[in-house]
Structure formats: structure tokens, C-alpha cells
Amino acid sequence: MRIIKKINEGWLFSKDAKSVPSHLPHDWEELNLPYTWNGKDGQDGGNDYYRGVGYFAKLIGKDEFPDGDEIYIQLDGVNSTGKVYFNGKEIVSHDGGYSTFRAKLDGIKDENLLVITADNSPNNYVYPQMADFTFYGGIYRDVLLIGVNKNHFDLDYFGAPGIAITPTVNGKNAEVELQAYANGKVEFTIFDGENEIATVTAEGKNPKASAVIENVHLWDGVKDPYLYSATAKLIVDGEAVDEVSSRFGCRSFKIDPQKGFILNGREYPLRGVSRHQDRPDIGNALLEEHHREDIDLICEMGANTIRLAHYQHSQVFYDLCDERGLVVWAEIPYISKHMPDGFENTKSQMTELIVQNYNHPCIVVWGLSNEISMNGSSKSLLDNHYMLNDLVHSLDKTRPTTVAVLTACSIDDEYTKISDVLSYNHYFGWYGGNAAMNGPWFDNFHKKYPDRAIGLSEYGCEALNWHTSNPEQGDYTEEYQAYYHEELIKQIAERPYLWATHVWNMFDFAADARAEGGENGMNHKGLVTFDRKYKKDSYYAYQAWLSDKPMLHICGKRYIDRVEDTTKVTVYTNQDEVELFANGVSLGVQKKGKYPFFYFDVPNTAEETKICAKAGELTDESVIRKVEKFNEDYIMKEEGAVINWFEIETPVGYYSINDTLGDILASFRGKLYALRLLKTLLGAYSADGSDGKEKKKKGEKKSVMGFSINKTMIEMAMGFSVKRVLMMLGGKFTKEQILEINAHLNKIKKPKKVLNK
């Protein structure tokens, strides 16, 4: 029978070596796996982290190998191209940094030099190469040795587990098809816990058999994620010589364009988050305890679905999703930039994703790509998607395909019609437009394409430890993020046809090219901080909406010093009513309305005010202090972004930089000034390397970044405030220049149709 041994300890590492060593080096760094060399430089900003080759070496004695007629090495994650050298000979090369691959080890000697290279260098054929996250180099998951009999389940088939299990629910029973990847006679056994409930045999090449589970116990989401297991034994001369096993769940599901996601015959709206896996200093080199902490936080929030972006995640995490009943969207890193030379790589990564994860009941869709039409939908891109869509259906007839589409891609684009179901990544209210645009956009899509299932695959905004009493788009405050997610929750709740919605993102994550929000190298859209230590207020908004477990939270606990005499305090709870006290004095009881968000006006005249919320048996407390001058520690420390709400003159009935371009264009004088301002902005944009002077071919539509300028893009632009546009230019305008623009706008009177909005 097979023996598996983990060999994570006692490696030597160098990224300065020039070639594969012929003997064990003595001057390399000692370390244990998992490991990435980008744990620091991939998280500090500047987009200058090391992307190249790292060398890992280990000497293995003959007695350290597991027993077996044949020995394989298994690598669960080497980013992004991994090569294995055994006693000086290259035995395998693998392109794709997030999936399992194996190779047979021949010619084992008394002492054996094992060298693995990991290469995350830029190229034009291995995905991803352009994306908003750090591509950590290294061996960041387990390395195993597997000893097997000369007759064994296939270890060369794309890292697959050797057994594929396909349950089909039919009334009270489930028919389970079992297939083994081996040649010969195979005995299959299904277990309910420790009890054997069915045994069947089959033989031949990759034999199949089927069995029936009567009165089947369904895998039923977070309420009851029940699991069975199946074992396959390879029988030779009446004896079992190899064995593989896998857990599985029996469930039915479909995605309905009108009713959304349906699990086991009932409507089951998928409401949850996306997840990036990395952490401070260790990047993607996670231990099991890190995966468990992540899923605990997600489940505590009340989510019932996770989009595992933008690559194959650890088997540990898929197993946890099976156990917790979280419905999963799994995808490959075919993202942002289509590469014509990457066609075969998308094919191999998709094959690995499916065959390695086929048995997980948590997975319900395979994602073909994410925002891949960023530069338009070329024939090469479309051909790649048609190929992938057909490939998925040939490998898995039980799950549909999906894509995550960028806002700027037209809903009529051919690309959006290839996959079985569809989702869009929308950031109305952050990168453009306003938060109120999200729901109507989906209504328009749903009206035009009522037979197409549509979801919201990304939405979110960034928040750090900045604070304000007047939150606005683009200020990176915790208060705006909370407001934004309150608004999105309301719009999602009103649209049951949305088959799945996934917040971007559950956790802050590293994106070394970023320089936003006052902390470089990070994307701060997480509901929880990068170190998993602080749950932002928006996390509790979702917990109040989604969780059945009683909860109560006062927002703004990090926003203590406040200048106003009366300040707004928001409370989230899923209880029927909440009462708020300020220094022991009741500010009244509010009963739960349609949404679990409560707003109180709190006097802020005392030197310190202790706030206490009570809901049922629950209490929560916070403190505010009255100050005369706004606390500078709450203001974002970023060049060109130091203007705060209290510095901007906003005379009643007149424009300011807080108004949107759309509103300013609504008046004649506003339009004249906007044209002058636009000329100034284009000049600043030109200084950034894009002069917009590219000539348009005859008959060619106007475009931006390859996209035809469409109604959605125009609406997004009109939804930007002038201040947001100026801030997005990244320091091109000084504080004084921005306030001067505001002064000009203060002289332009708003028309009635704007005043009455």
C-alpha cells in the first residue's frame, strides 16, 4: 500500500545561484517549507519585488525514502514555473504556480541530491502576468514523497487523486458513479462515517462502477454540510496493492435566471466574499492554522459562499469549505491580460483545477477568467474562451462555467455570452459613478437578458484607519466603507435574481504595484485587515445581515476624537431593537426596520462620552471625546490627498469640488467651467504619459483601453466628484490648486434640478 512522507524540513535556499548545483551547497540559507522570497519586498510597494529564479536543495539518503516499488515526488504549489532535478537530471517542468504536480524518481542511490527551482520571472505564456496582487515566488505548499507498488493508481494524470466521484440525487436516494484512474480490478467502498454502506467492483482501464445510497443525507450548505467518503482499492492476485480515498457530498443545485441559486430544491441566495490567501511576511506560504483562521472569520460573519480568487487554492481550504458548507466558485488565474501564447497554459491549469478538485461538493462553478477583456475582446481571446468552455464541459458534466466581467465590457459583447452563467465586477461608488448605480445596472441587464443568470462577482472599496464624520467616495475612511456596504446590502437584498454576490475582498491583501490610501503595496478593500487582527465596521454590517447568531456592534470605535457638537453613531445588530445610552442617558429605542442598521444622533459636548448599546442580552460599548481641532491622525497621509471635508467651502446653492461632473454639467456656467477644467485635467493626464492623441482609424469607434466608449462608462465618469478626479491623478495638483478650483465652483449657482436631487 502507498506510503506518503512530507519532506518540508531541512532545505537550503539561494536566489543568487546561477545554475543548478551538482552537490549540496554549504553557503546557502537554511529554511523549512513552505517558503516565499517575496514575504517582505512583495508587500512594501514600488512594484520592485524580486521576480526570478530561486533554488532549493536537499540531500536525501536512501533510507529516508518511503518503501515502494516506485517513488514519486509531489509538489502542491511552486510559483510560477517549477522544475525538479534529481541527481543532476531534470525530471519535470511545470508551468502554473497554484496546482499540484508530480514526477517519478528513478535511479535512487545511497545519497541523492534533490533540487527544485521556482521561477516567477515575467513571461508571455504562464498566467498570471498582470493582476492586482503580488505573484509570490517560492515553494509555498507541501512537498511529499509517495511510495507505491508497481501497480498503482495513476500518479501522472494532472495531479489528480486517483478517484472521481459523481453523486446524482434522485428523490430520497443518490446514485453514486465511481471511477478509478488505474488499470485492473478495483474495489470501491462507500462509507457513512465508519459504516460501510456499499461495495462494488469494476475492472479494466480507468474502471467505473455505481452504487445507490438510500435515504441519502444531503450536503445542505452551512446548516448541514454532510459528507460521505469513498475508498478505491486496486486488487492484484486477490490482494489490495494500492488505495485512494476521498470525501464527497450529495446535493443538487441549479442556477435560475429569475430565482438565483437553488440548492436541493430550495432558493438559497449565495451571499459572501472573495478570498486572497496571503499574509504579512509569509505571503502565500500558509500553514493549516492560517486556513482555519480564515474560514472561521468568514463563517462567523455569516457568509455562505466564497469566490476563491484568482487561482487554485490549497486542498486544505477546499476541504474546510466542504466541512463548513460554504459554496465555492473556483477559477484559474486567466486574468487581466490575454496572452496569445498562453493558450496551452490556460488549458493545463483548467484541467488541473478540475481533476484535482472534482470531488469537492463545495464547488459549484468553474471560473474561466477574470476581467480578461480589459483591452478588448480579440478573436484570440474569444477562441481561448470557447476552448476552455468546451474543455470544462468535457471534464465535468455536473457544473456550469462562469466568468467575472469588467464593468467597462459591454453586456452585448460576444465574450459575455460564452459561459453558462455570468457575473460582473462593479465598483460604482468607488472607481466611478456612485453606489446607487449598482442595482439599476443589474435591473437593466436583467430586463434585456431575462434568460441569463447574472451575479455580482466583485464589489467593494478601500478603508484604512482614517476617519471622518462626512464620508465621501475616495476618502479611504472606515466610515465610507461602512456606508458603501450598507448601500450595496440594501440593493442586493432587493434583487433575488442575483445568483451570487461576492464582496471584494474578505481580507486586505498585497499588491506591490499599488500606492493608495497612505500605505503602499496593499489593496485595502478587505472587511478584515491583512493580519486578520481587526474587523472593520463593514464586516459587522454583513454579520448583522447574514448571521443567525445574535450580534451587536457600535461602529467607529477607532474614531474617538470628534469636533462636532452632535455626532452620528451607527449600530449594527440582528436583534429586533436596540437602545443607545450616552453617559448613562438613554437616547431612545429603535426597532429594526428592513435592514439591521441603526443611526443615532449623539451629543458630543462632554470631555468624554461613554456610549453603550443594548439589544436583548447583548451589550457593546465605545467612547468619543469632544475636541476643538480635528485629530490629524485621522487624515490620510498621502500626497495630494490631505484635504479633509471641513476644509472645503460648500455654500448652499453653489457648486463645490464635492459635486459630480454630471451635476456640474447640468448648468450652462457649470458646463463652461467644466470644459476649461477638463482641458487642465487632460494636460495633467498627458504629463503622466498618455496624451490621448492616438489617431482613430476610419470607422473605428472611440475607445479607452480597448473598450468602446459606452453608456456605462459615461455614467461612471459623470458620477465622479471633482475632488475624486483630482485625487486620482496622484499628486498632480497641490492642495492650494484644488482649493482654488473649489473657489471657482463656489461662484457657480446650481440649477433647481440639481438642488432638488
Side-chain angles (χ1 to χ4, degrees):
M1 304 296 279
R2 70 175 54 192
I3 300 173
I4 300 174
K5 182 179 181 180
K6 192 179 293 186
I7 56 168
N8 286 351
E9 297 183 352
W11 289 81
L12 297 177
F13 169 74
S14 173
K15 65 175 188 283
D16 298 319
K18 303 301 181 185
S19 61
V20 176
S22 58
H23 60 276
L24 189 69
H26 297 290
D27 56 348
W28 289 11
E29 178 185 356
E30 296 183 14
L31 53 79
N32 296 328
L33 304 178
Y35 175 78
T36 176
W37 57 74
N38 297 126
K40 296 285 189 182
D41 66 356
Q43 302 178 351
D44 61 0
N47 199 29
D48 55 357
Y49 63 102
Y50 176 73
R51 294 187 65 182
V53 182
Y55 296 78
F56 299 81
K58 183 179 179 68
L59 204 61
I60 307 177
K62 190 172 186 178
D63 59 350
E64 296 178 75
F65 287 88
D67 292 337
D69 298 329
E70 296 180 358
I71 307 296
Y72 278 76
I73 184 170
Q74 175 174 310
L75 302 102
D76 289 336
V78 181
N79 198 37
S80 58
T81 293
K83 294 184 178 181
V84 180
Y85 300 82
F86 189 63
N87 291 327
K89 179 182 178 182
E90 180 182 325
I91 60 172
V92 67
S93 179
H94 178 263
D95 291 332
Y98 305 96
S99 51
T100 292
F101 64 102
R102 305 187 185 106
K104 185 179 176 182
L105 302 179
D106 290 321
I108 296 174
K109 303 183 295 188
D110 288 340
E111 282 199 335
N112 304 272
L113 180 62
L114 178 62
V115 179
I116 303 169
T117 63
D119 186 356
N120 66 340
S121 302
N123 60 65
N124 65 349
Y125 58 91
V126 181
Y127 286 98
Q129 290 299 325
M130 187 178 85
D132 187 26
F133 58 93
T134 296
F135 311 142
Y136 296 99
I139 304 175
Y140 66 95
R141 291 181 188 149
D142 292 339
V143 179
L144 309 171
L145 294 176
I146 306 172
V148 289
N149 187 279
K150 64 179 179 180
N151 298 297
H152 57 267
F153 291 98
D154 195 343
L155 288 165
D156 297 305
Y157 181 58
F158 294 100
I163 183 173
I165 307 165
T166 310
T168 302
V169 177
N170 186 8
K172 293 183 178 181
N173 302 330
E175 181 174 334
V176 183
E177 181 186 271
L178 303 134
Q179 180 172 19
Y181 294 97
N183 289 325
K185 182 179 180 181
V186 175
E187 179 183 276
F188 298 99
T189 303
I190 296 176
F191 293 86
D192 184 353
E194 296 182 355
N195 300 318
E196 295 183 18
I197 59 174
T199 299
V200 290
T201 59
E203 57 185 306
K205 184 177 181 181
N206 300 334
K208 290 182 181 180
S210 61
V212 174
I213 301 176
E214 295 183 350
N215 296 313
V216 65
H217 192 154
L218 298 177
W219 187 90
D220 203 27
V222 293
K223 297 296 185 184
D224 189 12
Y226 197 80
L227 295 171
Y228 293 89
S229 63
T231 296
K233 293 180 180 179
L234 182 61
I235 309 298
V236 176
D237 296 330
E239 292 187 6
V241 296
D242 195 14
E243 180 180 318
V244 292
S245 63
S246 178
R247 297 186 302 181
F248 67 96
C250 300
R251 79 284 188 270
S252 67
F253 72 89
K254 67 177 182 178
I255 299 173
D256 185 273
Q258 309 302 324
K259 299 179 180 179
F261 190 78
I262 297 172
L263 178 65
N264 297 327
R266 74 183 191 284
E267 292 180 28
Y268 190 79
L270 296 181
R271 304 293 176 249
V273 296
S274 296
R275 181 217 187 203
H276 266 303
Q277 60 188 356
D278 60 328
R279 288 179 175 239
D281 301 329
I282 62 172
N284 287 346
L286 305 183
L287 303 176
E288 183 174 339
E289 64 199 57
H290 299 128
H291 294 295
R292 289 191 176 276
E293 182 180 28
D294 279 7
I295 206 157
D296 285 345
L297 287 164
I298 292 168
C299 290
E300 180 186 338
M301 195 186 80
N304 64 5
T305 180
I306 307 177
R307 179 181 172 215
L308 292 180
H310 289 296
Y311 38 75
Q312 183 168 332
H313 285 232
S314 168
Q315 285 299 315
V316 172
F317 203 78
Y318 291 112
D319 287 342
L320 289 170
C321 290
D322 287 342
E323 294 170 10
R324 302 294 187 90
L326 289 161
V327 173
V328 167
W329 165 331
E331 64 188 34
I332 60 172
Y334 185 22
I335 177 172
S336 298
K337 180 183 179 182
H338 170 71
M339 300 184 297
D341 291 335
F343 187 92
E344 289 300 320
N345 189 244
T346 64
K347 184 177 181 180
S348 63
Q349 290 206 52
M350 182 62 78
T351 301
E352 290 171 336
L353 176 70
I354 294 175
V355 301
Q356 291 175 22
N357 296 283
Y358 183 85
N359 297 331
H360 290 291
C362 63
I363 298 174
V364 299
V365 289
W366 303 114
L368 304 182
S369 64
N370 175 77
E371 297 187 351
I372 198 65
S373 61
M374 190 170 284
N375 291 300
S377 299
S378 65
K379 182 180 185 304
S380 174
L381 180 149
L382 295 172
D383 289 346
N384 207 149
H385 280 78
Y386 282 117
M387 179 276 292
L388 285 176
N389 201 54
D390 291 343
L391 174 66
V392 171
H393 292 144
S394 70
L395 293 170
D396 184 355
K397 302 188 186 309
T398 71
R399 296 178 175 97
T401 57
T402 190
V403 288
V405 185
L406 185 70
T407 292
C409 183
S410 167
I411 64 174
D412 303 316
D413 194 296
E414 183 179 352
Y415 159 66
T416 68
K417 300 175 183 179
I418 297 172
S419 61
D420 299 316
V421 298
L422 185 69
S423 283
Y424 260 80
N425 298 349
H426 283 322
Y427 291 93
F428 300 123
W430 184 246
Y431 290 131
N434 57 69
M437 291 172 61
N438 289 277
W441 187 97
F442 282 104
D443 290 340
N444 289 335
F445 181 99
H446 188 55
K447 182 178 180 180
K448 186 169 186 178
Y449 294 109
D451 297 326
R452 289 281 280 156
I454 184 70
L456 179 53
S457 39
E458 287 185 25
Y459 66 100
C461 67
E462 301 202 34
L464 295 88
N465 193 11
W466 312 129
H467 301 284
T468 180
S469 294
N470 188 29
E472 59 182 34
Q473 179 180 332
D475 65 12
Y476 295 88
T477 63
E478 192 172 356
E479 287 71 33
Y480 182 79
Q481 189 190 50
Y483 156 79
Y484 169 93
H485 282 292
E486 289 174 24
E487 293 303 305
L488 267 292
I489 286 170
K490 294 172 185 176
Q491 293 173 63
I492 291 167
E494 293 292 322
R495 293 166 174 85
Y497 62 80
L498 292 171
W499 74 267
T501 59
H502 296 97
V503 175
W504 190 262
N505 197 281
M506 181 63 189
F507 307 106
D508 291 345
F509 59 91
D512 199 53
R514 277 187 168 254
E516 290 190 53
E519 183 186 4
N520 294 342
M522 299 297 300
N523 187 311
H524 302 96
K525 293 187 183 70
L527 305 178
V528 178
T529 53
F530 192 37
D531 60 7
R532 278 62 170 173
K533 301 301 181 186
Y534 181 79
K535 303 166 187 171
K536 304 176 192 178
D537 287 337
S538 51
Y539 173 94
Y540 296 98
Y542 284 95
Q543 189 179 48
W545 181 43
L546 298 174
S547 178
D548 293 332
K549 184 178 179 180
M551 63 78 60
L552 172 67
H553 174 74
I554 299 175
C555 295
K557 288 190 175 71
R558 298 194 292 185
Y559 182 28
I560 298 173
D561 297 336
R562 309 195 185 196
V563 296
E564 58 270 24
D565 293 334
T566 301
T567 191
K568 187 178 85 170
V569 171
T570 299
V571 178
Y572 299 143
T573 182
N574 53 12
Q575 301 302 286
D576 291 334
E577 62 182 34
V578 61
E579 185 172 11
L580 197 71
F581 298 85
N583 285 336
V585 178
S586 175
L587 301 179
V589 176
Q590 291 188 21
K591 295 188 179 297
K592 184 179 178 181
K594 201 170 187 178
Y595 303 102
F597 314 136
F598 302 80
Y599 311 104
F600 291 87
D601 290 324
V602 177
N604 183 35
T605 53
E607 184 176 339
E608 182 174 280
T609 301
K610 293 182 179 179
I611 300 171
C612 178
K614 294 184 178 180
E617 301 296 318
L618 305 176
T619 61
D620 192 28
E621 297 181 344
S622 68
V623 173
I624 58 174
R625 285 194 296 261
K626 172 66 175 177
V627 294
E628 295 303 317
K629 185 179 179 183
F630 194 85
N631 188 337
E632 296 289 325
D633 290 341
Y634 298 153
I635 300 176
M636 180 167 49
K637 308 301 187 294
E638 184 176 49
E639 185 179 0
V642 294
I643 298 177
N644 227 294
W645 58 273
F646 50 82
E647 299 179 273
I648 300 168
E649 294 291 336
T650 56
V652 176
Y654 293 83
Y655 289 115
S656 74
I657 59 174
N658 291 337
D659 286 298
T660 67
L661 292 173
D663 282 347
I664 292 170
L665 288 169
S667 79
F668 178 73
R669 284 190 62 200
K671 188 178 295 184
L672 291 177
Y673 183 73
L675 291 172
R676 285 168 50 201
L677 181 60
L678 182 61
K679 188 175 181 180
T680 304
L681 295 177
L682 287 173
Y685 184 58
S686 173
D688 204 24
S690 301
D691 58 16
K693 294 180 181 178
E694 296 86 352
K695 290 185 178 179
K696 184 166 64 75
K697 295 179 182 179
K698 188 175 181 180
E700 185 180 38
K701 293 181 179 179
K702 291 184 179 180
S703 64
V704 176
M705 294 178 65
F707 289 106
S708 297
I709 296 176
N710 55 37
K711 182 182 177 184
T712 297
M713 292 182 69
I714 294 171
E715 288 175 347
M716 286 176 64
M718 293 301 99
F720 274 124
S721 71
V722 175
K723 180 184 174 185
R724 180 74 166 133
V725 172
L726 295 171
M727 296 307 179
M728 288 177 69
L729 288 170
K732 296 290 182 183
F733 291 85
T734 65
K735 175 178 177 178
E736 290 71 24
Q737 289 174 319
I738 294 173
L739 290 176
E740 184 180 352
I741 292 171
N742 188 68
H744 281 292
L745 288 169
N746 288 167
K747 298 174 183 177
I748 303 174
K749 199 169 185 178
K750 294 182 179 181
K752 288 183 180 179
K753 62 180 178 180
V754 173
L755 285 170
N756 294 333
K757 283 183 68 175

